[in-house]
Amino acid sequence: MADLPLALALSAGMLAAVNPCGFALLPAYLSLLVLGDDSPGRTAAVGRALTATAAITAGFAALFGVFGLAILPVAGRVQEQLPWFTIGFGALMAAAGAWLAAGRQLPALAPKVRRAPSVTRSVPSMALFGMAYATASLGCTIAPFLAIVVSAFRSGSTGEGIALFAAYAAGMGIIVGAASLTVALTRSAAVGRLRALGRLAPRIGGVLLLLIGAYVAYYGWYEIRVQNDPAAQDPVIDAAGAVQRAIADAVDAAGPGTAAAAFAVLLAVAGTAAVRRRRRSGRRPEGSAGAGAGAHGSAE
């Protein structure tokens, strides 16, 4: 297998993380990493960030894989209708955000569950968030995914298709993981402030979800207008698009190697910090015990 298709799939996955349709969900996800945690411990935050990254990447890749294989025979016709799906999905997200912002919980899916689920950093919640991320991103990223990954399965090369799919998911995971680790390593001050908010944190998460859902729905409406008039412009989309394009251009210019190296450096920094903290915590009980013994001896 040539290295070029793998590098292309990896790059496509990286750009999928900052695509125009679902771009707004990335800062929402990073906000949840902070809002949903009241512990200032850096080591614990890094572990949770990595777990959340794995879960959101798995959810993103799973939805893309199932959806891509399912619509491949009618991809052209389905893609034309995706903006309507984006509008409906964005409206649903906004409604859920408004519900949470009002201080309520989302309705439980199973009747036996007494407590309804809320927006958290648990593995199931992050996997569902990854699926939501993928759902919002379908309109902008399904075509490259079909062209690069699914076409390999169609050509009869199952092994190549699996490898390209893994590379695509890895590219998305590298970007999300790097952003997550950055938040985890620099979040202590933010968590210290947010701890004072207490019960307001879920409401803040709901407000974020409301705003993100509204933007996703608005972007779907914008795509429909562009289909009818390719020259259509919108100041809101243009402003958000300028930020998205700058980030996407930076990711594209850096390339898979640089992004992977940055992720590895962040992981190494996190690992070094964890080792140092364990060493310090391992020495403290001995010093405390010695001081206690000295005080006891002098008292005698």
Side-chain angles (χ1 to χ4, degrees):
M1 183 191 307
D3 292 336
L4 181 58
L6 282 176
L8 190 61
L10 191 63
S11 298
M14 290 166 52
L15 292 175
V18 291
N19 71 86
C21 300
F23 168 69
L25 271 75
L26 184 57
Y29 157 70
L30 297 176
S31 299
L32 287 177
L33 287 181
V34 177
L35 289 173
D37 191 2
D38 60 356
S39 172
R42 181 175 295 177
T43 304
V46 169
R48 292 174 185 131
L50 291 175
T51 301
T53 297
I56 195 173
T57 302
F60 188 96
L63 190 137
F64 258 77
V66 172
F67 186 84
L69 291 173
I71 72 157
L72 185 59
V74 291
R77 283 175 291 176
V78 171
Q79 192 167 359
E80 293 178 357
Q81 305 302 321
L82 282 177
W84 291 104
F85 183 75
T86 301
I87 291 176
F89 180 73
L92 184 62
M93 286 181 59
W99 188 264
L100 292 171
R104 301 176 181 179
Q105 292 181 325
L106 296 176
L109 299 178
K112 294 183 180 180
V113 178
R114 294 183 179 179
R115 187 175 181 180
S118 59
V119 181
T120 66
R121 295 169 297 100
S122 66
V123 172
S125 290
M126 287 294 98
L128 288 174
F129 195 92
M131 292 181 180
Y133 199 157
T135 302
S137 304
L138 285 173
C140 293
T141 57
I142 194 62
F145 178 78
L146 292 174
I148 297 172
V149 179
V150 180
S151 60
F153 286 99
R154 295 279 293 178
S155 65
S157 179
T158 304
E160 182 177 358
I162 293 174
L164 291 175
F165 181 78
Y168 186 88
M172 192 270 180
I174 286 173
I175 297 301
V176 174
S180 301
L181 285 175
T182 301
V183 169
L185 292 170
T186 60
R187 59 187 279 287
S188 299
V191 170
R193 299 189 194 99
L194 288 170
R195 291 184 70 178
L197 297 177
R199 296 179 181 179
L200 289 179
R203 291 177 181 258
I204 295 175
V207 171
L208 286 172
L209 197 61
L210 170 62
L211 295 175
I212 298 306
Y215 174 80
V216 170
Y218 190 81
Y219 191 91
W221 178 54
Y222 166 74
E223 285 187 305
I224 293 174
R225 286 187 292 148
V226 170
Q227 287 181 353
N228 298 327
D229 180 14
Q233 294 183 348
D234 187 282
V236 174
I237 301 300
D238 290 344
V243 177
Q244 181 271 330
R245 281 192 299 272
I247 296 176
D249 289 344
V251 169
D252 191 32
T258 303
F263 178 76
V265 169
L266 287 169
L267 195 58
V269 170
T272 302
V275 170
R276 290 180 177 176
R277 182 171 181 176
R278 288 176 184 174
R279 289 177 178 174
R280 287 198 299 266
S281 62
R283 286 196 294 263
R284 284 173 186 168
E286 296 177 3
S288 300
H296 181 70
S298 59
E300 291 178 348

